[in-house]
Amino acid sequence: MDAGTLQDVWYWLLPLCAAAYLGGSISSAILVCRLFGYPDPRTLGSNNPGATNVLRIGGKPAAALTLAGDVLKGVIPVLVAHALHMGPFIAALVGLFAFLGHLFPVFFQFQGGKGVATAFGMLFALHWLSGLVAGITWLAVFGLNRISSIASLSAFVVAPACIFVWLRPAFWPMVVLSVVMILRHRSNLQKLLRGEELGFKKKD
């Protein structure tokens, strides 16, 4: 069955997007912090329930678990869409709903993270080369300024351009994801302008 268009897959779309959203709503950061006995990440550091803030609060093991959980939330829905022979537009749309679930989790009073790791998981599962380019962008920018928010925003300005070149049917869902991510980082941008944004010091 060719499931590359909405007409072909309308009966799959709602359950796939709903499942992706619910999976995305499972906050890895909050669950890992509870497991390790750390404070709620929404109350310390940047107040963001994501891997970067968990690293500040609890260190590398907790952050690694959080990162793995958040990445898988983006990977799994896209792989399921691929397994059901969905086209790239539907796969990207399903991944977008997983990202939105991370940002606005129904299980945690709609107080979620910034969605960077989940977005990377979605992007790599959707088109690994685009994910690689975005990842290299993140590493390069972070290496220069040690500020995760700038690196993340830079990566997801690059990501839609890569998708436009290599996987054009998935372009608009990726554009929506990137715009939402930029809006989600508006407080970080305001802190950057004031010189208050949290970063990581380089080791001597």
Side-chain angles (χ1 to χ4, degrees), residues 109-129:
Q109 299 79 48
F110 302 99
Q111 299 177 30
K114 301 295 171 65
V116 176
T118 301
F120 265 116
M122 172 263 206
L123 182 59
F124 269 100
L126 188 66
H127 189 262
W128 70 267
L129 185 55

Side-chain angles (χ1 to χ4, degrees), residues 88-92 122 126 163-164 167-175:
F89 174 80
I90 299 300
M122 172 263 206
L126 188 66
I163 289 296
F164 182 80
L167 196 68
R168 194 163 298 182
F171 175 67
W172 287 112
M174 184 57 63
V175 168

Side-chain angles (χ1 to χ4, degrees), residues 130-150:
S130 296
L132 181 62
V133 173
I136 291 171
T137 301
W138 192 99
L139 290 171
V141 175
F142 184 77
L144 290 172
N145 56 47
R146 309 295 290 179
I147 298 177
S148 177
S149 58
I150 298 178

